[in-house]
Amino acid sequence: MDHPRYIRKGEIIGTLIDPATFFNSPKSPEELKKFQDAAEVIKSVITVQSKAEDPSDKEAEDEQVQYGPKTAAMPDPTKYSSDQLEELIDVGSLPDHLKEEAWAILRKHINAFGFDGRVGSLPTKVHIRTVDGQVPISMPMYHASPQKCEIIDEQLNTWFEQGIIEPSKSPWSAPVIIAYRNGKPRFCIDYRKLNAATIPAEFPIPRQSNILASLSGAQVLSSLDALSGFTQLELAEEDIEKTVFRTHRGLFQFRRLPFGLRNGPLIFQRVMQGILAPYLWIFCLVYINNIVIYSKSYEEHLSHLDQVLATIEKVGITLSLKKYHLFYGSILLLGHKVSRLGLSTHAEKVKAIVELERPRKLSQLQAFLGMVVYFSTFIPYYALICVPLFLVFESPVWSGFLMPKGFNRNRNRSAFFLEVKKPDRTAKTAVCGLFAVLRPVFGLHRF
């Protein structure tokens, strides 16, 4: 209804029923046991069904998201003690004669790690600037199954304990979605309406190709990760009300910068670069919440690690224990394997491409091309190879005009997709082998 309904005095609008008389009550222990068994069956069915995504989840995930990450992995409920330092931190292939010095450095900077559930806090006062005249945006709550409500409760309790959220009476609100990725739940807040009204920030995030090129040839590498990322930055008091999200337990707002906001990655990149500015591009690189230290020798690396940890500890940032990898000859970074020998593709990423099914929709083809373009550095003549697939998005008139003579649209494109996933025997990527197939189609014999 798009208009209110007026109820006259004395008008009957419904019948009240006493719940005590409406529901069946067990009249014997045997009947109570029967009710309990039926409840267990219903509970098991709900548990199985809740693992599948709700329609609201699928609709939200299918829609293109333009502004930054929208999901955050559920927190690790385990609290680690600082006494477990040597058990938890991965020190890689550090020579034995340097291990004592390395552990001494790590113990000296023990406050740089997220022990005992501690999350860092930077008094940066982040602002969420919206367009002039923007009225508060309020969206209804999405449906959540009982199991997803338990996940929401778990996340809320963790954030309350860490001082990240608080109850709210703000007129703003955004809905919560629990999505599953690789079988694990992720707490998502749909900030797309707020992001559309947010004024974009301007700060350059380093090109991944430049980062990977700078690390190529490094002898010793360490990878660090900021614990809970953006939630270590404090929000400006006047902008806290804009982060409100709606759950079955009421309205809550963030006191720290949440995931999913349009300018979140740029703001965090700017803060991290400001903190580690003296070392950037010398022996340290930052990509949002990822920190990489690279050196020419183990002795030099110990000195570099000491300087970076001292700076991080001083400003109050905490690092994730599970994503802390020190003193390696090669590391996985931004989907690539980086080592003293240079760059190569990550085997799991290649496997994901090989196992993809044939796209049935334009959105699926777009996702496939977006994944393949990430490895375009390793693909000779990438633009020519993928022309038939990119032309699918063009109008039929232009697509037919640009196609090579004698090209069969449906048959050839299906063949291209199958060939693009075949690993080449000598190349480091899964798509180089397609070039040989396209030579006769595009007349590339001269190459």
Side-chain angles (χ1 to χ4, degrees):
M1 297 177 62
D2 54 1
H3 57 84
R5 176 184 175 183
Y6 296 96
I7 302 176
R8 298 180 178 84
K9 184 177 179 179
E11 182 179 352
I12 299 176
I13 59 175
T15 304
L16 294 176
I17 299 177
D18 184 2
T21 60
F22 181 78
F23 295 104
N24 293 333
S25 300
K27 297 180 176 56
S28 65
E30 292 77 13
E31 192 172 3
L32 175 61
K33 181 65 167 60
K34 182 180 178 181
F35 288 169
Q36 291 174 341
D37 292 341
E40 286 297 324
V41 172
I42 296 173
K43 181 180 179 181
S44 63
V45 172
I46 292 175
T47 301
V48 173
Q49 291 181 345
S50 62
K51 292 183 179 179
E53 295 178 345
D54 290 340
S56 59
D57 295 350
K58 183 172 180 56
E59 180 181 351
E61 289 186 349
D62 287 344
E63 185 172 342
Q64 184 178 3
V65 179
Q66 300 179 5
Y67 310 118
K70 66 169 183 176
T71 63
M74 296 297 291
D76 184 0
T78 308
K79 293 185 178 180
Y80 301 103
S81 170
S82 57
D83 297 333
Q84 300 175 278
L85 177 68
E86 296 190 15
E87 301 175 17
L88 297 173
I89 294 183
D90 178 17
V91 295
S93 55
L94 182 66
D96 292 338
H97 69 281
L98 295 176
K99 286 185 177 180
E100 184 176 348
E101 182 181 355
W103 288 118
I105 292 173
L106 296 175
R107 293 190 191 94
K108 182 172 66 172
H109 303 297
I110 194 72
N111 291 330
F113 305 100
F115 286 112
D116 304 314
R118 186 173 64 89
V119 176
S121 177
L122 289 173
T124 50
K125 303 304 178 186
V126 176
H127 290 273
I128 305 173
R129 305 187 188 280
T130 54
V131 296
D132 293 338
Q134 179 61 49
V135 297
I137 299 172
S138 179
M139 298 178 62
M141 183 173 64
Y142 292 159
H143 167 73
S145 64
Q147 186 180 21
K148 291 185 177 181
C149 287
E150 292 180 8
I151 296 171
I152 293 174
D153 289 336
E154 179 186 345
Q155 179 71 85
L156 294 179
N157 294 337
T158 302
W159 278 341
F160 268 121
E161 185 179 347
Q162 295 173 340
I164 293 175
I165 63 172
E166 62 185 8
S168 176
K169 297 180 180 178
S170 167
W172 297 73
S173 70
V176 171
I177 303 173
I178 299 299
Y180 286 86
R181 181 177 179 183
N182 298 327
K184 296 181 180 179
R186 288 180 175 262
F187 187 102
C188 316
I189 302 176
D190 190 352
Y191 281 131
R192 286 174 292 179
K193 292 286 184 67
L194 173 60
N195 288 338
T198 300
I199 299 174
E202 294 295 336
F203 190 83
I205 291 182
R207 291 177 59 88
Q208 296 183 7
S209 57
N210 293 342
I211 291 178
L212 296 171
S214 299
L215 298 177
S216 181
Q219 301 297 308
V220 187
L221 298 158
S222 290
S223 174
L224 320 177
D225 190 277
L227 179 64
S228 298
F230 304 167
T231 54
Q232 299 196 46
L233 306 184
E234 294 183 6
L235 284 170
E237 199 69 30
E238 62 270 23
D239 291 320
I240 287 178
E241 67 171 11
K242 298 175 183 176
T243 65
V244 173
F245 58 96
R246 189 187 298 266
T247 72
H248 62 284
R249 286 170 53 176
L251 297 178
F252 302 93
Q253 62 190 18
F254 283 92
R255 298 201 61 82
R256 312 277 189 87
L257 180 66
F259 283 87
L261 294 182
R262 179 175 189 174
N263 295 327
L266 300 180
I267 293 171
F268 200 80
Q269 178 72 34
R270 181 177 62 205
V271 170
M272 294 302 296
Q273 284 196 193
I275 293 170
L276 298 172
Y279 317 127
L280 288 180
W281 304 101
I282 301 174
F283 57 80
C284 178
L285 294 174
V286 175
Y287 187 81
I288 308 180
N289 61 332
N290 294 307
I291 304 170
V292 179
I293 305 172
Y294 57 100
S295 311
K296 296 180 179 179
S297 67
Y298 285 105
E299 291 78 9
E300 189 179 60
H301 199 75
L302 286 172
S303 174
H304 294 163
L305 179 64
D306 187 19
Q307 296 177 66
V308 171
L309 290 180
T311 303
I312 289 175
E313 183 181 27
K314 182 179 179 180
V315 299
I317 292 178
T318 53
L319 301 173
S320 173
L321 293 168
K322 284 193 170 184
K323 299 180 181 179
Y324 203 96
H325 307 287
L326 304 177
F327 309 108
Y328 273 87
S330 64
I331 59 172
L332 295 175
L333 179 67
L334 304 176
H336 295 77
K337 182 178 180 181
V338 184
S339 69
R340 62 175 65 92
L341 301 177
L343 301 178
S344 59
T345 54
H346 186 192
E348 291 186 5
K349 303 293 183 182
V350 173
K351 181 180 178 182
I353 295 176
V354 173
E355 294 180 352
L356 272 178
E357 296 182 358
R358 181 179 181 274
R360 303 293 178 184
K361 300 186 296 183
L362 285 178
S363 59
Q364 294 174 348
L365 176 59
Q366 191 173 26
F368 169 73
L369 292 173
M371 183 161 44
V372 173
V373 75
Y374 194 73
F375 299 100
S376 60
T377 304
F378 302 94
I379 308 172
Y381 311 106
Y382 168 78
L384 290 174
I385 291 173
C386 290
V387 162
L389 299 179
F390 278 109
L391 286 178
V392 174
F393 301 99
E394 302 289 341
S395 66
V397 175
W398 285 104
S399 180
F401 176 76
L402 294 174
M403 278 295 178
K405 186 176 181 180
F407 185 85
N408 184 307
R409 294 169 60 93
N410 295 328
R411 178 177 58 81
N412 289 62
R413 282 172 179 165
S414 299
F416 291 158
F417 176 77
L418 295 176
E419 289 294 334
V420 82
K421 301 193 301 176
K422 290 185 178 179
D424 186 77
R425 295 179 180 178
T426 58
K428 295 179 181 179
T429 177
V431 295
C432 283
L434 179 59
F435 179 64
V437 178
L438 293 180
R439 282 178 182 269
V441 177
F442 286 95
L444 299 178
H445 301 285
R446 60 184 181 278
F447 292 100

